[in-house]
Amino acid sequence: TAILILSIVYAASLFLLGATWAQLVNPPRRRDIPALIRAYGVSSIAKYLPGNVFHLAGRQLIAGRLGISHGTLALATILEIALSIISALLVATSFLLAAGGSSIIPFAAWQIWIPALAAAAIIALAFGAGLGRLRQGDTRTGTASLPGARAILVGALLSAIFFFVSGLVAIACGY
């Protein structure tokens, strides 16, 4: 029963990853966000059949039908990958510190990773805020629309919550 419940919790948390990507796409019409989350979810099947690259291509094609430029979608995917790495490392660091991290990994390593992760997060936010939004994605010209700092921040938060929930599920399963 516990494994079934934890599986459902984990499956529900995958919505957070779709919402992260949708935030980073930052579509011109906010009503497109549910469609983007659906595109993310439907294309996720391709992670398992035939491989991980195909889910990226699948959501690119599905979301492209909404009239969002492929450049905007590609930029959102690149930012999503960066935020996933940052979020996963920050959550893992938090869990290790809570479990007595200094006995697991020497403290000097924490002194390097924590500032590096903070710097990476700041760079990601500065990227979004500094560059601002370029012209809104246009399928005719192929111009890309970069998300602003708010979209990056919300995406980072959603991603961190996903990894936190995933970590709790893994701990509850005994890993």
Side-chain angles (χ1 to χ4, degrees), residues 10 86-105 110 114 117 159-173 175:
Y10 177 75
I86 292 167
S87 298
L89 289 173
L90 284 172
V91 170
T93 300
S94 301
F95 281 168
L96 288 173
L97 285 173
S102 60
S103 64
I104 297 170
I105 296 176
W110 296 111
I114 291 173
L117 291 173
S159 182
I161 292 170
F162 166 78
F163 284 107
F164 183 77
V165 169
S166 297
L168 291 178
V169 167
I171 289 168
C173 287
Y175 291 108

Side-chain angles (χ1 to χ4, degrees), residues 7 10-11 20 24 42 56 73 82 87 89 106-108 120-121 134 137 141-142 149 170:
S7 297
Y10 177 75
T20 297
L24 296 172
V42 167
L56 298 173
L73 297 170
S87 298
L89 289 173
F107 189 74
L134 295 177
T141 63

Side-chain angles (χ1 to χ4, degrees), residues 6-70:
L6 291 170
S7 297
I8 292 169
V9 168
Y10 177 75
S13 74
L14 292 172
F15 170 82
L16 295 165
L17 291 179
T20 297
W21 181 68
Q23 275 295 314
L24 296 172
V25 170
N26 200 19
R29 298 179 314 246
R30 301 309 284 174
R31 68 177 186 261
D32 287 340
I33 287 180
L36 288 169
I37 293 171
R38 272 192 307 281
Y40 188 96
V42 167
S43 66
S44 288
I45 295 281
K47 282 184 187 180
Y48 309 102
L49 303 168
N52 203 14
V53 171
F54 291 100
H55 96 276
L56 298 173
R59 67 180 166 173
Q60 186 87 7
L61 292 172
I62 294 168
R65 293 180 188 152
L66 296 173
I68 300 168
S69 78
H70 288 291

